[in-house]
Amino acid sequence: LQHMVRQEVCQLKLDEPGLDAQIHKSNRRSKKQLQRAQEKLQQQRLGHEKHMEFVSAILQHGTEFRLFHRSVSTRISKVSRAVLTHYTTTEREQKKESDRLEKERMRRLMAEDEEGYRKLIDQQKDKRLAFLLDQTDEFIEQLTDLVK
């Protein structure tokens, strides 16, 4: 049966020479259409890949941008804390030193160590107390002169 079908097809093919040309032409057309479709699909893939690379680059840049600014913010906050700590410590030390000098001055005043008291006032550059002591010395000198 198969042998007979083949012979009939071959006979028909020989009888109609234009049919073979049409089939060949049709095959060429479909090959060109297939090739165009493949080229179009390839172009779409390339466009999609480029777009995905672009989107990926944007996302990567966004990540790097956030990390950079987060690190800058962290550095700024660390420096701010360090400056605040420095000034707080310095202020505390100055307060302790002034309290210590005040206690020492009062201790010398209570011990009636006038010379040490005057040296402390000169060291502190306390002009008000130095002026009052100078005035007191002048008044004492005037009183001494009046008593004589």
Side-chain angles (χ1 to χ4, degrees), residues 65-110:
F65 186 81
R66 278 192 306 274
L67 289 174
F68 172 77
H69 286 288
R70 187 176 297 146
S71 69
V72 167
S73 176
T74 303
R75 263 189 279 144
I76 287 173
S77 66
K78 283 181 182 179
V79 169
S80 297
R81 271 188 262 131
V83 167
L84 182 65
T85 303
H86 170 73
Y87 280 110
T88 304
T89 305
T90 304
E91 186 178 333
R92 191 177 323 123
E93 289 173 358
Q94 286 176 350
K95 177 93 168 115
K96 282 182 183 178
E97 184 64 21
S98 69
D99 288 348
R100 187 189 66 76
L101 288 174
E102 182 69 24
K103 286 179 184 177
E104 179 67 20
R105 189 173 60 80
M106 291 306 265
R107 186 185 64 76
R108 290 202 179 173
L109 183 62
M110 296 297 241

Side-chain angles (χ1 to χ4, degrees), residues 22-67:
Q22 286 177 348
I23 291 173
H24 184 65
K25 195 175 185 182
S26 170
N27 282 342
R28 263 193 299 167
R29 238 185 262 137
S30 64
K31 283 182 183 179
K32 284 183 181 179
Q33 287 174 348
L34 181 63
Q35 188 178 12
R36 279 191 221 122
Q38 286 175 342
E39 287 175 3
K40 188 175 181 182
L41 185 61
Q42 184 67 21
Q43 289 294 328
Q44 286 176 347
R45 282 186 193 144
L46 286 175
H48 182 70
E49 286 176 9
K50 283 183 180 180
H51 177 70
M52 291 308 291
E53 287 177 14
F54 178 71
V55 169
S56 176
I58 289 174
L59 292 173
Q60 179 66 27
H61 175 71
T63 303
E64 290 171 0
F65 186 81
R66 278 192 306 274
L67 289 174

